[in-house]
Amino acid sequence: MRRPSLLPAPIVALLVACEGGAPAESTRPVEPATVRVTAVDTLRPGQIASVRGSGLSGLRSLRLDGVDAMELVVRSDSVAEFRVPSMRACETDMRAVKVSADGTAPIGGVVRVAPSVSLRAGESRVLTSGELQCLRLAAADEDYVLSAANVAIPTAEVESPRTLVAVRVLGTGDVASTLAASDAPSAHDAGTLAEPAMATAPAVTAPSGSFAQAPVPFDPRYATAVVGDTLRFVDWFSGAPQLCQMPAESVPSFRARVVAVSGDVAVVVDLRHPSAASYLDPAKLGWLREAAAMTDRLLLPTMRSLFDADYRPPAGGGGRFYVLLGTLPNATGFAYDGPLGSATFTSQTSCPRSSEMVVSTVSADRLAMPQNQSAGYVAGVFLHEYAHNADALTSRRGRIAGILGEGLATLAQETASRIASGQPLRARHAGVGSDAPAIADGSLGMWGTQAALGPWQSNGRYGANARMLLFLRELAGEASIDHGRRPTLYQRLVQAPIDWNDRPAVIAHVTAVLGIDYVDLIDRQALASVTAGLIGPDVVHDLPRYTAWDHAERARVAGPLSATFPGRASRRAGGEHTLAAADGGHAALYLMGDGPRGISIELVSMAPTARIVRLTRTR
């Protein structure tokens, strides 16, 4: 039995309509949720990754650094999957990328790629052009150096740096960096000694003839002069013809005042010089007396370590070494007091007006400057100039051109620094105090910072020459300042009847004496230089090295371990770098660790020049 409705019919009809829904609301479209991406997986090109967020049901596109993701599949409103595309030809491990969904504000992501090369600390590898197309290093706190050695044999007097390899560094891109590799290294190390160019023609030889045991001095007081005495010296640059054949009383001469004496070292000032008066007050010359004493103490040990264990100065002037402070335009020092062939140190059999006594000229103007009045600096200059004389006196062939000229004189400073500081091997730069000659270029300029200078050129290539010669001494077993009484490398080389201006001939002779191939020599010396002080003492390796000096401290303060070193490439920013070097030289780019950041190298060009490109892990 149906229960009758208690409501009037119009009201019933209204309720039925209401239960069916209001017609105005039922026709309004439902708006989709806004796509919002909040996280993304680590991105490994070619692999499947997920992106998470909200509103992903409506996701239509996903872009990674502007590149469309592949195989995009929406799994739910909060998860979508995709295949990671290759975003650039040479990828970098841990590179920061931007991930954007349907053009919304991007979020950050990270790319991971496997390294293309793996080295242990202290290991080096020669790279081919193929490997350099994309060289990827892992995102690990490890240090590497990319180096290029120019193994061409130089023939010219003046070097022309050649481009060896140009690369593009690809960093992680997370933070911009202000550091970049130095593509134009400084031509000289700080403190480089300036000297006038020396004659190198084979016809110019000195000294010749035999030396006397008791030569007749031009001024009989040379051996006994004390501070305040005035002496006469031959004016070798007077222009007088046939000066060597003139009677002693007719020879052009000048007066010089003795201003410092210590043992067998005497310093005089040319009284004709405009600055002479500044050297006549003993109260102001303490630095000069200290320099003379330092030189006297180190002169013989240094020359015997470098040239000949039995080296003795010529007997003239009682064996004294005279330093003449005089006129020397645009230079600090000159080895002699006259032109080669006629100077005070020449034998009297070839020039009767000689005194068979070493006299070097040093600029009175340069030493009058307060910034140059350091005993260590001045003693280094004195020893450098004396070494040129020791070179000529020991060889009996005259001053040798090329690496054995300025290289040897610069090594005299370097050797004296180690002798004075009591550091025969693995010397620390900080261990060289004010009582030692200032540190010279031979122990500086590592890490490819002087790539524009060739190690086989003469005149002005002080550091480059000295570092090559120091490495040759390493190979010869005489890195220590005390290497016994066996013949020095200098003695093994110097008597060869070759033209010392002929670079290929000199190089062939040097490599033959040491039993090493030229390419191997340049490769090994470059490796020793670019890794100096960078490989820890606990790392076992067989890489070539410099053992005369321990460069670890300098590497931290002024070398690749310093954040401000100009030869470092940033792991965060990119940039192009060109490695160029003179024949026989090398250049380097340091790829130092920076936390969990990778770095990649992309080849821009590789020159046809004979070269060896290496990657070496130092830490």
Side-chain angles (χ1 to χ4, degrees):
M1 175 176 167
R2 291 184 66 188
R3 178 178 295 177
S5 173
L6 300 180
L7 297 173
I11 296 176
V12 171
L14 180 61
L15 290 174
V16 171
C18 290
E19 290 174 1
E25 294 178 3
S26 63
T27 60
R28 185 179 299 167
V30 177
E31 295 183 5
T34 301
V35 172
R36 182 168 177 267
V37 174
T38 58
V40 64
D41 287 350
T42 298
L43 305 171
R44 303 178 189 276
Q47 297 187 16
I48 298 297
S50 296
V51 64
R52 287 168 292 283
S54 59
L56 300 187
S57 298
L59 181 63
R60 296 292 178 266
S61 68
L62 189 69
R63 294 175 70 81
L64 293 79
D65 268 7
V67 179
D68 287 326
M70 303 180 295
E71 303 173 22
L72 178 62
V73 177
V74 176
R75 296 300 183 189
S76 69
D77 195 58
S78 60
V79 178
E81 291 181 348
F82 62 96
R83 189 174 299 280
V84 180
S86 176
M87 286 163 273
R88 62 186 190 187
C90 187
E91 192 54 86
T92 300
D93 193 21
M94 288 297 288
R95 182 171 71 89
V97 300
K98 298 296 184 182
V99 180
S100 176
D102 288 347
T104 59
I107 65 169
V110 173
V111 178
R112 295 304 307 267
V113 289
S116 64
V117 63
S118 178
L119 300 175
R120 67 181 184 277
E123 184 180 3
S124 184
R125 175 174 173 175
V126 176
L127 299 175
T128 65
S129 59
E131 290 171 310
L132 277 169
Q133 294 299 321
C134 183
L135 181 72
R136 295 187 303 275
L137 300 182
D141 193 21
E142 301 168 348
D143 295 344
Y144 293 83
V145 55
L146 179 73
S147 60
N150 182 342
V151 296
I153 295 177
T155 57
E157 169 66 22
V158 179
E159 62 271 86
S160 298
R162 306 173 193 267
T163 295
L164 305 176
V165 62
V167 297
R168 183 177 297 108
V169 171
L170 305 171
T172 57
D174 51 343
V175 178
S177 173
T178 60
L179 299 181
S182 173
D183 292 338
S186 170
H188 296 281
D189 282 331
T192 294
L193 176 65
E195 289 183 304
M198 298 284 192
T200 56
V204 180
T205 58
S208 60
S210 59
F211 282 72
Q213 290 186 344
V216 178
F218 182 73
D219 188 317
R221 296 172 297 167
Y222 287 154
T224 59
V226 297
V227 172
D229 287 349
T230 299
L231 305 175
R232 290 176 64 240
F233 287 84
V234 175
D235 187 358
W236 298 103
F237 291 105
S238 65
Q242 304 296 316
L243 189 150
C244 286
Q245 282 69 49
M246 284 185 177
E249 60 274 11
S250 303
V251 171
S253 64
F254 62 91
R255 296 182 308 128
R257 181 75 56 81
V258 180
V259 294
V261 175
S262 181
D264 289 331
V265 175
V267 183
V268 297
V269 62
D270 184 344
L271 292 175
R272 299 171 300 177
H273 195 278
S275 299
S278 63
Y279 292 95
L280 302 182
D281 183 355
K284 298 180 180 179
L285 299 180
W287 58 274
L288 190 57
R289 290 190 293 273
E290 290 179 24
M294 195 182 302
T295 303
D296 179 59
R297 184 171 68 252
L298 297 170
L299 192 147
L300 278 181
T302 299
M303 303 308 148
R304 288 172 175 172
S305 174
L306 197 56
F307 295 103
D308 180 352
D310 294 319
Y311 175 81
R312 292 184 180 279
R320 273 185 169 179
F321 167 37
Y322 269 85
V323 178
L324 170 65
L325 304 181
T327 300
L328 205 56
N330 304 316
T332 302
F334 185 68
Y336 321 115
D337 64 339
L340 277 170
S342 57
T344 301
F345 86 120
T346 307
S347 72
Q348 292 186 339
T349 57
S350 60
C351 180
R353 297 288 72 79
S354 169
S355 294
E356 298 189 7
M357 178 180 73
V358 175
V359 180
S360 294
T361 308
V362 173
S363 170
D365 288 327
R366 294 286 178 94
L367 295 197
M369 299 176 183
Q371 65 268 31
N372 292 331
Q373 292 176 354
S374 158
Y377 168 74
V378 175
V381 173
F382 292 175
L383 289 164
H384 181 107
E385 303 307 339
Y386 188 95
H388 285 306
N389 290 271
D391 179 1
L393 291 164
T394 303
S395 70
R396 303 289 176 172
R397 291 171 53 88
R399 180 183 179 278
I400 296 175
I403 188 175
L404 294 184
E406 296 301 350
L408 283 166
T410 303
L411 280 191
Q413 297 171 263
E414 176 273 330
T415 300
S417 294
R418 285 192 283 151
I419 293 174
S421 59
Q423 301 184 98
L425 272 177
R426 298 177 180 84
R428 294 168 51 251
H429 295 77
V432 178
S434 59
D435 59 344
I439 296 171
D441 291 0
S443 62
L444 303 173
M446 300 295 176
W447 310 307
T449 54
Q450 288 192 323
L453 301 183
W456 306 102
Q457 266 68 25
S458 59
N459 287 328
R461 308 304 185 262
Y462 302 89
N465 292 167
R467 286 186 294 277
M468 175 57 78
L469 190 52
L470 186 60
F471 189 70
L472 295 178
R473 296 187 77 194
E474 295 270 357
L475 298 180
E478 59 180 61
S480 173
I481 56 177
D482 183 8
H483 41 80
R485 296 193 56 77
R486 65 181 183 275
T488 63
L489 175 62
Y490 176 83
Q491 289 172 300
R492 294 166 61 189
L493 294 174
V494 71
Q495 298 303 332
I498 61 174
D499 176 1
W500 288 90
N501 296 315
D502 183 342
R503 285 169 182 78
V506 172
I507 289 170
H509 174 54
V510 168
T511 52
V513 168
L514 290 172
I516 187 171
D517 176 74
Y518 174 72
V519 172
D520 188 33
L521 169 62
I522 299 304
D523 184 32
R524 290 173 63 81
Q525 194 253 346
L527 257 178
S529 176
V530 302
T531 62
L534 301 179
I535 301 176
D538 56 330
V539 175
V540 178
H541 68 93
D542 60 358
L543 297 182
R545 67 192 84 180
Y546 282 93
T547 61
W549 290 84
D550 181 349
H551 292 272
E553 285 180 340
R554 282 198 70 245
R556 288 192 294 271
V557 175
L561 297 180
S562 167
T564 59
F565 182 71
R568 286 173 57 139
S570 171
R571 286 187 178 237
R572 308 185 189 205
E576 290 194 8
H577 304 270
T578 298
L579 299 185
D583 293 345
H586 56 270
L589 179 65
Y590 289 88
L591 315 169
M592 311 307 279
D594 185 10
R597 294 181 176 87
I599 192 169
S600 296
I601 302 293
E602 187 176 47
L603 181 65
V604 174
S605 64
M606 184 174 282
T609 305
R611 45 48 197 143
I612 295 176
V613 180
R614 281 185 174 272
L615 180 71
T616 306
R617 180 177 167 187
T618 58
R619 182 181 66 89

